[in-house]
Amino acid sequence: MGFVVESLAPEVAAEYVSGWLLAGRAGERAHPHYPFGQYSDDTQLARELLLTFDEAGGWDPTLYGARVAEVFRSARDIGAGNGTRSAALRLLQGVPWQEAGTPAPYAGNGSAMRAGPLGILFQDDPPSLRRVAREQSRVTHQDPRCAAGALAVAGAVALGTRTSPLNHGEFIAQLVEWVEPEDASFADALRGLVHWSALEPAAAARQVHGASLDPAYTSRWQGISAFVVPSVLWSLYAFLRTPDDYWMAVCTAIGVGGDTDTMAAMTGAIAGARCGARALPGNLLDRLNDQGSWRAADLAALAGRCSRPMRTMGLC
């Protein structure tokens, strides 16, 4: 749903949410270049992450790097950012996964957007969750803020599934504890979320902009960019605003404008894990696909295959 208005102005995204998604017209409007239901690189690379677990019976960063590289070699990527694309090209040239990631100070959200499934696979094993979130991030992004963002999303998924009712302060404090060893500046930004997580979306957006959390957009407001810090924070905010309402959480993620597909993907991962498959809109789910394949039933079957062997092997 977020892919439809990706990179468009905030007012366009807000009108799409109010006039289409909340008006019962979701699915009637598509991305300018793709039919509705086509998902972008966010879901593509999360799928490749799960395919790595399926093939290897556990986590294998070398195999994951090969799978990422193949998506780009075969030109199947949809809307990928420059950081992930350039890392994939290095992987194709034979650069080891530990060295292929785009170096700092580039800090896009390409590794955070795909990290959600790790929160399910490792929800009972925080040390492995932190390690795998960091390693899968390093495949494409070297900046520690990217690893911190990936861990924040995966950690939020893990916490969201087991915390009921959800306490904002405790939820954020646990994420800070996990994230701080990866990057102290990201942890500080997370602490600040406590003070604006209860604001209305317009006021929360002003907070993000006024606090200079998004260096890509320091003057004119253009929504939230693909920089990892504000996009992950906004995704967490959208979830915390309505943690038990998948649809409203995703609409909040999209309505701010900017990198809407990625924020919807991250928020959707967290809210979807908490609310369960029944919360997903079935009529739209039926249209989900990647260039005619990898539909919702295929993704669900893949997720099922991954969860069983991970438990059997004692890895989570």
Side-chain angles (χ1 to χ4, degrees):
M1 295 185 293
F3 188 40
V4 172
V5 291
E6 181 190 18
S7 300
L8 298 184
E11 55 269 24
V12 175
E15 190 277 333
Y16 168 64
V17 169
S18 63
W20 300 78
L21 300 185
L22 294 179
R25 302 174 61 198
E28 295 180 21
R29 179 174 173 179
H31 186 281
H33 305 297
Y34 299 95
F36 184 86
Q38 171 65 56
Y39 48 82
S40 60
D41 58 317
D42 313 76
T43 304
Q44 287 181 316
L45 296 184
R47 178 193 68 210
E48 298 304 312
L49 189 68
L50 283 180
L51 282 167
T52 298
F53 281 92
D54 189 32
E55 182 176 342
W59 170 238
D60 184 337
T62 300
L63 178 57
Y64 184 58
R67 298 203 70 93
V68 170
E70 177 58 24
V71 169
F72 287 84
R73 188 201 65 77
S74 58
R76 291 186 290 117
D77 60 291
I78 302 291
N82 291 332
T84 301
R85 182 179 301 278
S86 60
L89 294 177
R90 286 187 287 274
L91 289 164
L92 288 169
Q93 293 166 359
V95 177
W97 70 268
Q98 301 94 325
E99 304 169 14
T102 300
Y106 180 88
N109 55 23
S111 63
M113 69 187 189
R114 63 195 189 223
L118 300 178
I120 298 293
L121 295 174
F122 296 104
Q123 59 185 315
D124 299 320
D125 185 0
S128 293
L129 175 65
R130 295 195 295 269
R131 176 180 61 83
V132 176
R134 180 192 315 119
E135 290 180 354
Q136 70 83 29
S137 181
R138 191 173 180 82
V139 171
T140 54
H141 295 72
Q142 298 269 353
D143 195 301
R145 292 172 294 182
C146 300
L151 178 54
V153 172
V157 167
L159 293 174
T161 60
R162 69 188 191 203
T163 306
S164 184
L166 192 144
N167 180 288
H168 288 201
E170 294 175 0
F171 179 89
I172 294 170
Q174 182 60 80
L175 290 181
V176 168
E177 180 182 329
W178 285 342
V179 162
E180 192 149 34
E182 302 299 329
D183 186 79
S185 67
F186 202 115
D188 285 341
L190 266 177
R191 286 189 185 93
L193 177 59
V194 172
H195 303 296
W196 55 273
S197 63
L199 296 177
E200 293 294 315
R206 288 194 295 272
Q207 177 71 26
V208 172
H209 188 52
S212 299
L213 291 173
D214 196 340
Y217 298 152
T218 55
S219 54
R220 184 171 66 87
W221 174 243
Q222 301 175 57
I224 292 178
S225 77
F227 179 44
V228 67
V229 176
S231 59
V232 168
L233 287 179
W234 188 265
S235 300
L236 292 170
Y237 162 79
F239 166 69
L240 290 171
R241 181 168 169 73
T242 55
D244 297 304
D245 188 330
Y246 172 88
W247 186 257
M248 284 304 304
V250 172
C251 284
T252 299
I254 296 169
V256 72
D259 195 17
T260 51
D261 66 322
T262 296
M263 291 185 292
M266 294 188 290
T267 300
I270 305 166
R274 181 172 178 82
C275 299
R278 292 180 181 177
L280 303 178
N283 60 322
L284 302 183
L285 205 62
D286 290 341
R287 298 170 65 179
L288 197 69
N289 76 95
D290 182 12
Q291 298 158 94
S293 64
W294 278 108
R295 299 179 180 276
D298 304 310
L299 295 172
L302 171 61
R305 293 198 303 272
C306 289
S307 63
R308 287 189 295 272
M310 289 294 289
R311 293 194 182 97
T312 301
M313 294 170 65
L315 294 178
C316 68

